[in-house]
Amino acid sequence: MTRRNPYLIGALSLGLFAALPTVHAAAAATGSSSTLDRNRELQACAAKAEANPDGAKADAKRWQEQGGGDYAKLCQALALFHAGDFKAAGAQMEALVPTLGKDDPRAAASLLGRAGWAWLRAGDQGRAERLYSAALDKTPGDVDLLIDRAFARAEGERFWDAIADLDAALSRDPRRADAYLYRATAHKALSNYRQALADIDHALELKPGDPEAILLRGNVKAMGGNLPAARDDWALARRVAPDSEWGRAAADNLARTAELAGAAGKDAAKEPPKKAQ
């Protein structure tokens, strides 16, 4: 299952501080600019972390030496994530929840969700799921968190639990094409091909021409034994987005099935003709 995570770490500061309106209000009421300065500093760090994680780490260290405190630590966590040190990034974000998320459940959920994504990238599905569950305790029914937890559960091959989360997400927002697509992937893993195809159809109604959905539809059809229809979908995915990862995967599928068909034809040609009865 491919996850296009909505909690892009580069946008963390925007999400976190959007969940802290009382901090902004207090700064405006007192005329203090320190909180707003920290906000701007963190947003700049978030942008830099994605493009230049080493530079962002240096900035975070300098900021911490100047008294940046937990905001500087969060800057460092962003840089660690983009540098590929997912365990350290996840642990640091977790550690910041009691302080940066103390006064607002949405801020705590934001940090917990991003920590979960970091641990999932680190390969610790169980820890990621626990963090997503903790985030959902703070903001019950959050659609993005339900989808994220479903992804973590699917990574642990708990497909029915993943489907339950996706059912809940779609009951709250039935226009989430990604949720239909992830549920289709879970059904595919369970060999529920009819349900998988129905979910892919829903996803394509909401997002026509999506190459990932078309590729997945071809894969499901192939697993269900309809290789000609699968090849039609793979050819379509390749036409729609030839340079995307899904277009390339479709091209690989077409090439492999062509090779297999050619090998099967050669083997059949080598067999001696059967004697007439």
Side-chain angles (χ1 to χ4, degrees), residues 39-88:
N39 189 3
R40 285 193 290 268
E41 188 85 21
L42 187 55
Q43 289 185 32
C45 172
K48 189 169 185 176
E50 190 168 2
N52 180 9
D54 288 337
K57 277 193 279 189
D59 287 351
K61 182 179 179 181
R62 187 162 49 248
W63 190 13
Q64 196 155 11
E65 290 169 351
Q66 295 169 354
D70 289 335
Y71 299 94
K73 291 178 183 177
L74 182 52
C75 173
Q76 183 185 44
L78 298 175
L80 288 167
F81 180 91
H82 285 292
D85 194 348
F86 301 122
K87 289 183 180 180

Side-chain angles (χ1 to χ4, degrees), residues 46-160:
K48 189 169 185 176
E50 190 168 2
N52 180 9
D54 288 337
K57 277 193 279 189
D59 287 351
K61 182 179 179 181
R62 187 162 49 248
W63 190 13
Q64 196 155 11
E65 290 169 351
Q66 295 169 354
D70 289 335
Y71 299 94
K73 291 178 183 177
L74 182 52
C75 173
Q76 183 185 44
L78 298 175
L80 288 167
F81 180 91
H82 285 292
D85 194 348
F86 301 122
K87 289 183 180 180
Q92 187 133 315
M93 287 186 218
E94 274 187 81
L96 291 170
V97 172
T99 51
L100 291 182
K102 179 181 178 182
D103 298 320
D104 194 308
R106 290 177 299 158
S110 176
L111 278 169
L112 286 164
R114 289 162 172 83
W117 179 235
W119 281 109
L120 196 57
R121 293 290 303 274
D124 193 335
Q125 168 272 327
R127 190 163 181 173
E129 182 181 346
R130 289 193 295 274
L131 288 165
Y132 288 135
S133 295
L136 282 162
D137 288 341
K138 301 286 185 184
T139 55
D142 183 289
V143 171
D144 282 322
L145 287 170
L146 283 167
I147 295 173
D148 279 345
R149 189 173 68 177
F151 185 79
R153 288 174 164 181
E155 288 290 289
E157 298 187 356
R158 293 172 52 205
F159 298 111
W160 284 117

Side-chain angles (χ1 to χ4, degrees), residues 10-36:
L12 174 65
S13 63
L14 299 175
L16 176 61
F17 284 96
L20 295 173
T22 54
V23 173
H24 287 293
T30 61
S32 170
S33 63
S34 60
T35 299
L36 297 178

Side-chain angles (χ1 to χ4, degrees), residues 48-276:
K48 189 169 185 176
E50 190 168 2
N52 180 9
D54 288 337
K57 277 193 279 189
D59 287 351
K61 182 179 179 181
R62 187 162 49 248
W63 190 13
Q64 196 155 11
E65 290 169 351
Q66 295 169 354
D70 289 335
Y71 299 94
K73 291 178 183 177
L74 182 52
C75 173
Q76 183 185 44
L78 298 175
L80 288 167
F81 180 91
H82 285 292
D85 194 348
F86 301 122
K87 289 183 180 180
Q92 187 133 315
M93 287 186 218
E94 274 187 81
L96 291 170
V97 172
T99 51
L100 291 182
K102 179 181 178 182
D103 298 320
D104 194 308
R106 290 177 299 158
S110 176
L111 278 169
L112 286 164
R114 289 162 172 83
W117 179 235
W119 281 109
L120 196 57
R121 293 290 303 274
D124 193 335
Q125 168 272 327
R127 190 163 181 173
E129 182 181 346
R130 289 193 295 274
L131 288 165
Y132 288 135
S133 295
L136 282 162
D137 288 341
K138 301 286 185 184
T139 55
D142 183 289
V143 171
D144 282 322
L145 287 170
L146 283 167
I147 295 173
D148 279 345
R149 189 173 68 177
F151 185 79
R153 288 174 164 181
E155 288 290 289
E157 298 187 356
R158 293 172 52 205
F159 298 111
W160 284 117
D161 289 332
I163 288 169
D165 273 345
L166 293 165
D167 288 345
L170 286 166
S171 72
R172 288 166 173 79
D173 186 355
R175 297 195 61 78
R176 287 295 295 260
D178 57 343
Y180 280 114
L181 203 57
Y182 302 142
R183 193 169 69 178
T185 304
H187 278 304
K188 169 177 164 284
L190 293 166
S191 301
N192 298 330
Y193 302 133
R194 183 178 299 177
Q195 294 95 321
L197 290 172
D199 277 341
I200 295 168
D201 286 343
H202 281 302
L204 285 167
E205 286 173 8
L206 294 165
K207 194 175 180 182
D210 180 17
E212 184 178 8
I214 296 167
L215 170 68
L216 179 59
R217 187 172 64 185
N219 293 349
V220 172
K221 288 176 179 178
M223 292 180 72
N226 191 348
L227 189 56
R231 289 180 60 84
D232 287 343
D233 274 335
W234 294 333
L236 177 58
R238 187 176 61 177
R239 288 197 304 273
V240 167
D243 297 324
S244 70
E245 61 180 291
W246 306 290
R248 290 191 293 270
D252 288 343
N253 287 349
L254 287 167
R256 282 198 298 270
T257 54
E259 289 174 4
L260 290 172
K266 289 179 181 178
D267 289 342
K270 291 177 183 178
E271 291 181 4
K274 293 182 179 179
K275 294 181 179 179

